[in-house]
Amino acid sequence: MVSSSTLVGTSQRKNVRILLVGDPGVGKTSLILSLVSEEFPEDVPPKAEEITIPANVTPEQVPTNIVDYSHIEQSDETLNEEILKSHVVCIVYAVDDDDTLDRITSHWLPLIRKAVGEDQPKKPVVLVGNKVDLIEYSTINSVLSIMEEFPEVESCVECSAKTLHNISEMFYYAQKAVLHPTSPLYIMDEQDLTPACKKSLVRIFKICDIDGDNLLNDYELNLFQRRCFNTPLQPQILDEVKSVIQKNIPDGIYNDSVTLKGFLFLHCLFIQRGRNETTWAVLRRFGYNEQLEMSKDYLKPALKIPPGSSTELSHRGQQFLTALFERYDKDCDGALSPEEHKMLFSTCPQAPWSYSTDIRKSCTVNEKGWVTLNGWISRWALMTLIDVNKTMEYLAYMGFNVHENDTQLAAIHVTRERRIDLAKRQSSRSVYMCHVIGPKGSGKTGMCRGFLLNDDTKSLIGKEFRTNVTHCINTVQVYGQEKHLILRDIDVKHALDPLQPQEINCDVACLVYDSSNPRSFEYIARIYIKYYAESKIPVMIVGTKCDLDERRQDYLLQPDEFCQKYKLLPPHRFSLKNNKKELYVKLATMAAFPRFQAAWILFYKHRLVQLWESAHLRQFGLMTEDPTLWWKAGLGVAAATVLGFVVLKAVHGLTSPTR
């Protein structure tokens, strides 16, 4: 939409290497020397030395090396090596010698193809007709047929080393063939864009279509222009662009906006007019390399994660994903239907997860089983913690780099190291990993999946709901702050199998046993003693199926005695049928305060509440007998409060590293 002179930062190469080949006497060496000295040399050596043209004197602002070939001084093996090292090959022929023109197709192009290899991308070629000062006709028509037969031929130019006609243009076309090649974008004989180019431009169109109406209105076109070329689109130019599209493609404009067909036609027109650099500027701004693949640096920018740190979504990352959710929630019901979910990821090679077997079973959904906004953000929080590179990759596919005008690193927050959290006795993180470990049949899978239930989705409990899923993630409130808690269901195949380090290390461990099975507790007791007794990882023991009759455990200590011995919080009784979510809050709190014994804090906090309620009830029971009991009750509550602080201070002292 702009002239090539306004392009900014469109090239990805750091240099261009040009090789000149051709039959003896066509003037290869003269062309090089005429360019350098700006005059025709009287004495021409068999071969010019390799020269380097600085970036500041080249049209594309890229350093350029120009290499000559001489059949007298160089062997065929050396020629093959030079072809492989070059970025573009200029085949020079003499316009007054038809034999040198015929040799382009009979010798030079086949030779270059053979040197490169059939399994490698074709080497860009520029055909250069020298000595136009000797004739009064053009050979361009003959060369055009060669371009149709050999797609690697990017362009052709006629020039004269003697009169300096088109010398600079010749090397400009060579640079352009490397930096803005035609063959990846355009099929000459079909006069149409390549499938790869169309696919890339379709993705770009969808990303720029902010309101999702399959049209680019003036506002969206202006944003597109600024993102790609760092300059606004003037209203007059915009009207001219629309007029050109309308004239050539009747359905290229709809409601004064550009359709996808119009967008593709516009880029086809750029290429036909020799303005490849415009289309390449767009493609590169959206992350594409010379092979029209998303470049690795664009998809996965380098991210340094210190040992003991974790990765979470930043505020900007959450904002972008929230806006994306709302954009594709077409019916505004606060959830993504399977079709809406599919459309959201239409700019990606595929969805990062399966809708039916993964995301719907790992995060919160509505009564239809559709992913809610909370579930959507939670699922991204999970992926960011366990595979941050995948998060960055998909953020790039969906246009974060373009919409936010920054790399995906702006969407990622690297937490401080765990050792610092331990020293400060408080975690700075907002996403915690809880490993849920227990023997088969203990109910740990149901406990994990129960984390996702609410009043509207309890009906989803069934065979499908109980299907094992590795991770379940949801939000919980920890002292008024929203945290993400991930429950990882550790698969225990055999009771005697040892746990691996990646199955042990976490922010908090939840050891689960079936309170109705007398042989269930022994497994987690041994797990605790072997892996967690000497660790700094907080541990919660949970007895499931408490709606059934509790059985005495066949172990030397009963669960309450075991917890008392190892200074753990008493076992939490849990039932999926009467799930009040306190368990998940406790787990998140223990993860948030890893060295401050959050479990004990909760216990004493609960005790303070009991003392308060007890004093309050006594007050009402005795108030008619003793009018001064109001005052006494107040003193009692104050005493209970002081006692609570003393207890907390004592606990703090026991956990202090200086004691």
Side-chain angles (χ1 to χ4, degrees), residues 434-436 444-446 448 468-471 487-491:
C434 172
H435 285 186
V436 182
K444 60 187 177 72
T445 299
C448 290
N468 186 37
V469 173
T470 306
H471 298 91
L487 302 182
R488 180 186 174 190
D489 190 346
I490 303 298
D491 186 24

Side-chain angles (χ1 to χ4, degrees), residues 163-198:
T163 65
L164 306 185
H165 177 67
N166 275 354
I167 298 295
S168 297
E169 285 77 5
M170 164 201 160
F171 290 102
Y172 167 69
Y173 285 133
Q175 275 191 331
K176 189 175 176 180
V178 177
L179 303 176
H180 317 298
T182 303
S183 56
L185 308 180
Y186 194 72
I187 304 172
M188 194 67 67
D189 56 349
E190 296 181 11
Q191 298 286 293
D192 197 8
L193 300 172
T194 63
C197 184
K198 282 184 181 179

Side-chain angles (χ1 to χ4, degrees), residues 270-321:
F270 288 149
I271 298 167
Q272 289 171 350
R273 293 182 177 179
R275 290 176 55 187
N276 303 9
E277 63 271 18
T278 302
T279 299
W280 274 115
V282 173
L283 291 167
R284 285 170 179 145
R285 181 65 180 86
F286 283 80
Y288 291 96
N289 59 19
E290 283 81 357
Q291 289 74 46
L292 290 186
E293 297 172 347
M294 301 285 285
S295 64
K296 292 181 180 180
D297 291 342
Y298 188 87
L299 290 176
K300 300 175 183 177
L303 177 65
K304 185 178 180 181
I305 307 173
S309 295
S310 63
T311 47
E312 303 175 355
L313 287 171
S314 69
H315 179 64
R316 282 178 65 184
Q318 291 194 41
Q319 277 186 318
F320 174 78
L321 291 168

Side-chain angles (χ1 to χ4, degrees), residues 365-516:
V365 296
N366 65 7
E367 66 280 1
K368 297 179 181 178
W370 295 356
V371 180
T372 62
L373 176 59
N374 176 70
W376 168 254
I377 296 297
S378 295
R379 192 60 180 79
W380 280 98
L382 169 60
M383 190 164 76
T384 304
L385 181 70
I386 65 178
D387 192 351
V388 66
N389 282 330
K390 192 172 183 181
T391 292
M392 291 196 293
E393 179 182 351
Y394 275 87
L395 285 173
Y397 286 138
M398 296 184 298
F400 178 88
N401 312 51
V402 179
H403 288 301
E404 297 294 318
N405 201 27
D406 208 340
T407 70
Q408 307 94 294
L409 296 180
I412 306 300
H413 168 65
V414 179
T415 67
R416 71 188 183 193
E417 298 175 45
R418 191 183 301 273
R419 61 182 178 82
I420 300 176
D421 285 346
L422 292 173
K424 292 182 177 292
R425 298 183 176 87
Q426 182 174 355
S427 173
S428 62
R429 308 179 183 204
S430 62
V431 182
Y432 302 121
M433 177 65 76
C434 172
H435 285 186
V436 182
I437 305 170
K440 282 190 174 298
S442 61
K444 60 187 177 72
T445 299
M447 190 201 88
C448 290
R449 300 299 301 281
F451 187 31
L452 309 179
L453 290 178
N454 54 45
D455 292 339
D456 295 329
T457 56
K458 286 182 179 180
S459 60
L460 296 177
I461 298 179
K463 184 177 180 180
E464 178 185 353
F465 177 82
R466 294 176 184 274
T467 303
N468 186 37
V469 173
T470 306
H471 298 91
C472 293
I473 180 169
N474 202 350
T475 54
V476 294
Q477 293 288 326
V478 177
Y479 295 123
Q481 294 185 336
E482 186 174 83
K483 306 288 186 180
H484 279 98
L485 179 65
I486 301 169
L487 302 182
R488 180 186 174 190
D489 190 346
I490 303 298
D491 186 24
V492 179
K493 295 181 179 178
H494 301 287
L496 299 179
D497 286 350
L499 296 181
Q500 301 301 312
Q502 64 270 22
E503 297 175 321
I504 301 168
N505 296 323
C506 55
D507 296 306
V508 59
C510 182
L511 306 184
V512 180
Y513 73 98
D514 179 357
S515 61
S516 66

Side-chain angles (χ1 to χ4, degrees), residues 31 62 137 211 213 235 241 266 327 397 410 433 462 505 509 555 600 640:
L31 287 169
V62 177
Y137 56 88
D211 56 13
D213 63 352
V241 168
L266 199 58
R327 172 176 160 188
Y397 286 138
M433 177 65 76
N505 296 323
Y555 186 64
W600 292 105

Side-chain angles (χ1 to χ4, degrees), residues 25-67:
V26 295
K28 303 184 300 296
T29 307
S30 297
L31 287 169
I32 297 174
L33 297 178
S34 294
L35 175 72
V36 175
S37 63
E38 295 186 352
E39 62 180 9
F40 182 68
E42 295 297 335
D43 296 321
V44 182
K47 177 178 175 294
E49 295 298 322
E50 179 177 332
I51 65 168
T52 300
I53 303 176
N56 60 348
V57 297
T58 64
E60 295 290 343
Q61 299 294 298
V62 177
T64 302
N65 297 76
I66 301 176
V67 182

